[in-house]
Amino acid sequence: MLLALNRNAFQFGNFSVKWYGIIMAIAIILATWMAISEGKKRQIMPDDFVDLLLWAVPLGYVGARIYYVIFEWPYYAQHPDQIIAIWNGGIAIYGGLIAGLIVLLIFCYKRMLPPFLMLDIIAPGVMAAQILGRWGNFVNQEAHGGPTTLHFLQSLHLPEFIISQMRINGVYYQPTFLYESFFNLIGLILILSLRHRKHLFKQGEVFIFYVMWYSVVRFFVEGLRTDSLYIFGMIRVSQALSVILFIAALALLIYRRVKVKPKWYLDGSGLKYPYSRD
């Protein structure tokens, strides 16, 4: 049996660099590179994605923390000094995504960029970042499911290092990080395979596909996790939000197809690239 992975990648004196931080940094760089590469084909300048990144990432983490604190308010009401103690853990990806969406809409308004096209361009990179980011949870031995058996994990034909990392305090747990990462990888492959097909996606529909796919995956994976946030002590927040987002995305898809009739995704922004800011 292999030993559990060390959460610290390396150390400088009393300062340690965590694998989680490294993985998240790589995930952000990957998402940005994917957006810039696709953006050039859709007549959006690279600087727009870099500038958006500088606002969306820090505010996304703030949103992720606020979301978590809201649904754990009974604890933080008693320990207000812990509200900003993000280094002790406690962020929720849905909060980060909501904050990032708000930032993007404001950014597009200020830069006079088509918001649905920007969402289409960015969504696959965000999905890739989520896929990679879950491996940070793996290293930290968090966001896992309930107890299981060694036999069950071996029946999944998992590598030994994953099985060993899922042994926490002598108990084996469901690798829900892996389930979410794997099924989102399938969704990402589908998006990347289909988005350049002529007359398939209207503008906004790559993003809508991402929302619907992620909502379904998260709904089922959340049902296995042991660290869920709850409302009324019985409803898992992420499952409820997944249902709402799926229905809202489907309704938006139908509405835009029937009423708005947007341009095709491959038509791009219609701006002349590179375009002037004057």
Side-chain angles (χ1 to χ4, degrees), residues 1-78:
M1 179 65 64
L2 299 174
L3 295 176
L5 299 174
N6 191 335
R7 298 184 182 189
N8 297 331
F10 49 88
Q11 192 143 349
F12 294 106
N14 294 327
F15 179 75
S16 60
V17 177
K18 308 292 186 182
W19 277 114
Y20 183 89
I22 293 175
I23 291 171
M24 292 307 298
I26 294 172
I28 292 169
I29 292 170
L30 174 62
T32 306
W33 173 79
M34 289 176 66
I36 289 173
S37 298
E38 181 66 13
K40 291 178 180 178
K41 301 172 186 176
R42 309 278 83 82
Q43 302 89 45
I44 303 294
M45 291 179 66
D47 285 353
D48 287 314
F49 295 105
V50 175
D51 292 345
L52 176 60
L53 171 76
L54 296 177
W55 287 99
V57 170
L59 291 177
Y61 273 100
V62 171
R65 181 60 172 179
I66 291 173
Y67 183 101
Y68 184 86
V69 169
I70 287 173
F71 290 105
E72 290 287 354
W73 184 244
Y75 169 80
Y76 288 103
Q78 298 296 320

Side-chain angles (χ1 to χ4, degrees), residues 23 41-42 55 60 116 149 165 229 231 276:
I23 291 171
K41 301 172 186 176
R42 309 278 83 82
W55 287 99
F116 277 105
T149 64
Q165 195 70 1
L229 299 172
I231 49 177
S276 172

Side-chain angles (χ1 to χ4, degrees), residues 72 221-230 236-239:
E72 290 287 354
V221 171
E222 188 69 22
L224 299 173
R225 285 177 55 168
T226 59
D227 60 345
S228 297
L229 299 172
Y230 286 87
R236 296 176 191 257
V237 175
S238 290
Q239 283 190 317

